[in-house]
Amino acid sequence: SFRILRTNLQYKLNAVNHDHTKVVLVTSTVKGEGKTIVAVNLANTFSYSGKNVLLIGGDIRNPQLHKYFDKVSKRTRGVTDFLTDDHLKLKDLIITSSTNNSLDILLSGPIPPNPAELWMQDRTKTLFEEAKDLYDLVIVDSAPTILVTDTLLINKYADVTAYVTRADYTDMSLLEFVSDAVKDGKLKNVAVIVNNVKLANFGYGNK
């Protein structure tokens, strides 16, 4: 499934009109739709194809990325440390996956009292510039869009937004929010992913 997603996202990435490192922002509408596990598996799948990939924990309010990697915790230094300390470089904070040498991780770091204000600083631009200098692809596990403004603040740095929905979980009315955000230009180059689809949903006809 993730190899298919990689191929489909690659079409959108190839259509982006620049030759620099591309940034994929993975988000969803609410908590529980599976954006973090999608971000982790996409990062792994792209790295297995020969790319050097950086996976960024961009949900600095409710970090979950640390749960998928060994010997780290939500207190491990990461994004929030970079944004608050002008002397830190990206290479000071990245962790290489113990199972995949082509995948580096920048965790979220300690939860700050002012997430939105942090993302509005000039250091955010520096973070993405350093990441694009060092890697072939950057994937960001971001916060749910309907709850907080964080994802909308950093979406301008993305080339493609991978928007995760979940079968039998995402309320259909929430998709209007996604549609409006796309029309208003708040989300860039959106690809919608439907997570947790059961095999029973597939078949000949209109299922």
Side-chain angles (χ1 to χ4, degrees):
S1 295
F2 283 101
R3 285 196 292 270
I4 293 169
L5 278 180
R6 179 187 66 198
T7 300
N8 289 345
L9 278 175
Q10 194 66 62
Y11 281 115
K12 292 184 75 68
L13 290 169
N14 289 344
V16 174
N17 193 25
H18 68 73
D19 296 326
H20 310 301
T21 296
K22 308 295 197 313
V23 177
V24 176
L25 190 72
V26 182
T27 189
S28 64
T29 316
V30 293
K31 182 181 176 182
E33 290 171 299
K35 65 177 180 57
T36 301
I37 197 166
V38 167
V40 169
N41 280 288
L42 274 179
N44 267 308
T45 307
F46 270 105
S47 64
Y48 289 142
S49 71
K51 292 182 181 293
N52 287 319
V53 178
L54 176 65
L55 175 60
I56 297 178
D59 188 349
I60 59 177
R61 294 174 188 261
N62 183 31
Q64 300 296 316
L65 200 56
H66 61 278
K67 296 179 180 179
Y68 295 86
F69 299 97
D70 296 330
K71 299 177 183 177
V72 295
S73 73
K74 66 170 64 176
R75 291 179 295 278
T76 301
R77 295 198 307 168
V79 171
T80 55
D81 298 276
F82 184 92
L83 295 179
T84 55
D85 187 345
D86 290 347
H87 297 99
L88 282 174
K89 297 291 186 183
L90 190 59
K91 61 184 179 182
D92 300 327
L93 301 168
I94 58 172
I95 299 162
T96 300
S97 168
S98 60
T99 58
N100 185 352
N101 290 332
S102 295
L103 174 61
D104 283 352
I105 304 104
L106 176 66
L107 294 172
S108 303
I111 299 172
N114 56 341
E117 288 79 7
L118 272 187
W119 283 128
M120 294 170 69
Q121 295 182 119
D122 290 339
R123 283 287 285 177
T124 301
K125 183 179 179 182
T126 305
L127 171 64
F128 283 98
E129 286 176 345
E130 286 194 24
K132 291 168 77 169
D133 283 343
L134 294 171
Y135 294 92
D136 301 321
L137 180 70
V138 178
I139 295 178
V140 184
D141 173 37
S142 191
T145 56
I146 206 168
L147 302 177
V148 294
T149 61
D150 301 15
T151 297
L152 301 180
L153 289 172
I154 61 174
N155 192 253
K156 62 183 176 182
Y157 300 106
D159 295 295
V160 173
T161 304
Y163 205 105
V164 179
T165 62
R166 182 176 171 185
D168 296 323
Y169 185 92
T170 303
D171 193 299
M172 290 292 285
S173 63
L174 295 178
L175 298 183
E176 293 181 18
F177 171 82
V178 185
S179 179
D180 290 342
V182 172
K183 289 175 184 174
D184 295 341
K186 294 177 180 178
L187 294 174
K188 187 186 295 184
N189 202 9
V190 175
V192 175
I193 297 169
V194 185
N195 183 31
N196 203 38
V197 176
K198 296 177 176 61
L199 286 174
N201 295 128
F202 292 96
Y204 184 75
N206 294 321
K207 290 187 178 183

